[in-house]
Amino acid sequence: MAKRPDRAGRARSLSRKLAMQALYQWQLTGQTAAELRNQYASDEGFGDADAEYFRELLNGVTAAAAVLDESLGGLIDRPVGQLDPVEHAVLLIGLFELGQRPDVPYRVVINEGVELAKRFGATEGHKFVNAVLDRAARSLRAAEQAAAGAARG
């Protein structure tokens, strides 16, 4: 039986979902992170999210978008500009977490990205997200992956 995520885990999952939606909107409208933060903070249901984590994801991704896109370009088989905006937002969050949040296990980052892509992306988009985040984790979290492999025996 799968262990249900704790309250903090659910709050972070909701924060990722809201950040993905805000980043989707950011790509399409060019609104600032502050405008999006204010808009989403006033939405019903935001109280169940980890507001600080949402802010960190939104600010971190928008501030580092050029660097994240450059990294992403080396992991995919097409120009970044051709990515579906939902998949792009999910991948930006995943790359940010893999690079900046070592406290979040790489498997959690990949799983959360895949779940967001399944829920909001194109029909087979989750497979693409899984492959890209897995490739990114191999370089950004090589030590963590090696330790996990050694622990499994």
Side-chain angles (χ1 to χ4, degrees):
M1 185 157 114
K3 183 180 173 189
R4 293 187 64 209
D6 62 11
R7 182 177 213 156
R10 286 192 304 273
R12 278 210 175 164
S13 289
L14 179 56
S15 298
R16 285 182 188 94
K17 180 192 107 165
L18 294 171
M20 185 275 303
Q21 291 172 324
L23 290 166
Y24 173 87
Q25 190 173 333
W26 171 72
Q27 292 175 78
L28 298 180
T29 67
Q31 288 174 276
T32 67
E35 290 169 329
L36 291 165
R37 206 172 42 254
N38 291 337
Q39 175 189 330
Y40 280 81
S42 66
D43 282 357
E44 185 178 326
F46 187 80
D48 294 330
D50 179 334
E52 179 60 29
Y53 203 69
F54 169 79
R55 184 196 64 73
E56 180 183 345
L57 291 175
L58 183 60
N59 290 346
V61 169
T62 56
V67 172
L68 293 170
D69 276 344
E70 187 176 322
S71 296
L72 187 55
L75 298 167
I76 59 177
D77 59 355
R78 64 190 94 158
V80 172
Q82 291 180 6
L83 288 174
D84 172 84
V86 169
E87 292 165 9
H88 189 199
V90 170
L91 290 169
L92 288 172
I93 290 170
L95 287 176
F96 178 81
E97 286 186 300
L98 287 170
Q100 303 301 315
R101 293 302 305 246
D103 59 309
V104 179
Y106 78 92
R107 290 176 192 245
V108 170
V109 173
I110 294 171
N111 185 56
E112 291 276 333
V114 167
E115 290 305 314
L116 284 171
K118 281 181 181 176
R119 186 167 174 197
F120 296 102
T123 304
E124 298 294 317
H126 67 281
K127 294 177 182 177
F128 175 72
V129 166
N130 184 60
V132 173
L133 291 179
D134 185 59
R135 263 183 250 132
R138 276 189 233 136
S139 62
L140 294 169
R141 299 283 187 93
E144 182 183 349
Q145 286 186 329
R152 283 192 302 269

